[in-house]
Amino acid sequence: MDRFKLSTTVMGTIKQTIYQSRKTGFLIIFLTYIIALGIAIFTFQSVNPDQHLLWRLFLADFAATVFVWFIGMIFDNASLYDPYWSVAPPLLLTLLAIKWYSVDIPFLLLLTGVWIWAIRLTVNWGYTFKNLGIQDWRYDKYKQQFPILWQLVNFTGINLMPTIIVFLAMIPGIYLLELCGSANLFTIIGFLICTGAATLQYFADRQIHRFRKTNPGKVCNIGLWSFSRHPNYLGEIAMWWGVFIMLLSIGGKEYTWTGTGALVNSLLFIFISIPLMEKRQLANKAEYATYRKQTGMLLPKIK
């Protein structure tokens, strides 16, 4: 009995250390993504090479997502998936460039833009990450609403759906790598949209982090946030339209369908992410209703 109590105490201490330590959380997530990358590469190489490239890539992406979801389920934290959004695109495109294709100026511009965006977004995630004992408030809400179906909701809605959307958004970049065309004015415009989107997100995040430190519980209405209620989301939406424009600049009208990813990504933010965020803000901050009337959702209001 004493041994059982001792074992329970030791396990409780280990669990507490894992869930409360920021460094331990980072280490677990880092190892999870390293293994997920290995699983993705193995899956890609295991699929028949005669299959379409996009199908092979998606299966690899899917396998990595399943693994990340499984580890998140073990640690009872769906936020383990959160970095996937920014980690997958640069790694996938870079590995493709190294192993299968020659790289031209348009793709180098694309890769530069994607890496700038990915590093900024991942650093911001790392800044806000506390430990594995805390997950996104939206996931807690879904878990309370669907206790029996939680893991199904977790897998399909929180893990798989974003993977599919980001994969669709990456398709223009994959085709851009295949085409090996020459850069032109619209290629540069697409690149500037990508880097401008990442820059917009960087300053938006800096401003709101600083504001929250000195004004806890208040509505951030300074800087970029005085013109747009969601400048960070605007940057996320613009990023993938920039990638799409880069492809069209050298690919032509036959690749118009690849804009599906950027469109679906835009709809995700406009009809799901933003309404959820604003509903919470309206419930918690009385002054948000006034701020909402005065400030545009994404683009500044014309006064």
Side-chain angles (χ1 to χ4, degrees):
M1 195 68 176
D2 291 338
R3 289 183 179 180
F4 177 75
K5 290 182 179 180
L6 178 61
S7 177
T8 302
T9 302
V10 171
M11 290 301 295
T13 302
I14 293 174
K15 184 177 180 180
Q16 185 178 22
T17 301
I18 291 174
Y19 280 91
Q20 294 185 357
S21 170
R22 191 166 186 260
K23 290 182 179 180
T24 303
F26 273 129
L27 178 61
I28 290 172
I29 293 173
F30 176 76
L31 293 176
T32 297
Y33 279 74
I34 290 294
I35 297 172
L37 176 61
I39 291 173
I41 294 173
F42 174 79
T43 303
F44 181 85
Q45 293 178 337
S46 299
V47 178
N48 189 337
D50 294 332
Q51 296 289 329
H52 195 284
L53 175 63
L54 291 181
W55 177 242
R56 296 174 67 196
L57 289 173
F58 176 73
L59 289 178
D61 204 6
F62 177 81
T65 299
V66 171
F67 178 75
V68 172
W69 164 76
F70 178 73
I71 299 301
M73 186 172 60
I74 290 176
F75 288 97
D76 194 26
N77 192 322
S79 284
L80 207 86
Y81 175 85
D82 289 350
Y84 198 97
W85 184 280
S86 58
V87 170
L91 290 179
L92 185 149
L93 294 173
T94 301
L95 289 173
L96 276 180
I98 292 173
K99 193 167 180 64
W100 285 282
Y101 299 96
S102 59
V103 176
D104 54 11
I105 292 177
F107 188 74
L108 283 176
L109 291 175
L110 169 70
L111 210 56
T112 301
V114 170
W115 271 104
I116 290 173
W117 162 83
I119 291 172
R120 187 222 63 83
L121 189 55
T122 306
V123 168
N124 185 66
W125 164 81
Y127 177 81
T128 58
F129 176 78
K130 298 296 186 292
N131 54 60
L132 286 177
I134 301 174
Q135 70 176 359
D136 191 290
W137 62 270
R138 288 165 292 192
Y139 307 161
D140 287 330
K141 179 181 178 181
Y142 296 145
K143 190 175 182 179
Q144 292 173 359
Q145 288 180 336
F146 311 102
I148 298 176
L149 299 175
W150 161 238
Q151 287 307 334
L152 179 62
V153 173
N154 180 13
F155 177 68
T156 57
I158 297 174
N159 289 256
L160 185 57
M161 184 180 73
T163 289
I164 293 173
I165 292 174
V166 174
F167 184 81
L168 290 173
M170 282 192 294
I171 289 177
I174 296 169
Y175 277 114
L176 186 68
L177 178 58
E178 283 189 302
L179 288 175
C180 294
S182 300
N184 55 50
L185 176 61
F186 288 100
T187 313
I188 303 300
I189 291 174
F191 171 72
L192 290 177
I193 291 175
C194 291
T195 53
T199 303
L200 173 66
Q201 290 177 300
Y202 170 74
F203 284 107
D205 287 337
R206 282 192 63 184
Q207 289 170 0
I208 197 168
H209 290 325
R210 289 179 177 178
F211 182 88
R212 285 173 175 171
K213 282 184 178 180
T214 56
N215 302 274
K218 299 294 183 180
V219 174
C220 181
N221 57 358
I222 63 168
L224 294 169
W225 299 85
S226 64
F227 299 100
S228 169
R229 302 199 301 272
H230 305 279
N232 51 346
Y233 288 167
L234 175 60
E236 191 66 28
I237 289 171
M239 165 66 195
W240 296 109
W241 285 112
V243 173
F244 175 61
I245 290 173
M246 291 185 71
L247 171 64
L248 285 190
S249 70
I250 67 172
K253 295 181 180 180
E254 63 269 28
Y255 292 98
T256 303
W257 68 271
T258 65
T260 302
L263 176 61
V264 174
N265 181 63
S266 301
L267 296 176
L268 169 71
F269 282 101
I270 293 172
F271 293 106
I272 297 179
S273 298
I274 290 176
L276 274 174
M277 180 65 72
E278 297 211 327
K279 184 178 180 181
R280 186 170 188 253
Q281 294 285 64
L282 288 168
N284 296 333
K285 300 174 182 178
E287 66 271 27
Y288 193 83
T290 302
Y291 170 70
R292 190 183 186 192
K293 291 179 181 179
Q294 297 174 344
T295 313
M297 181 176 70
L298 292 170
L299 300 175
K301 283 188 174 182
I302 299 176
K303 300 181 181 179

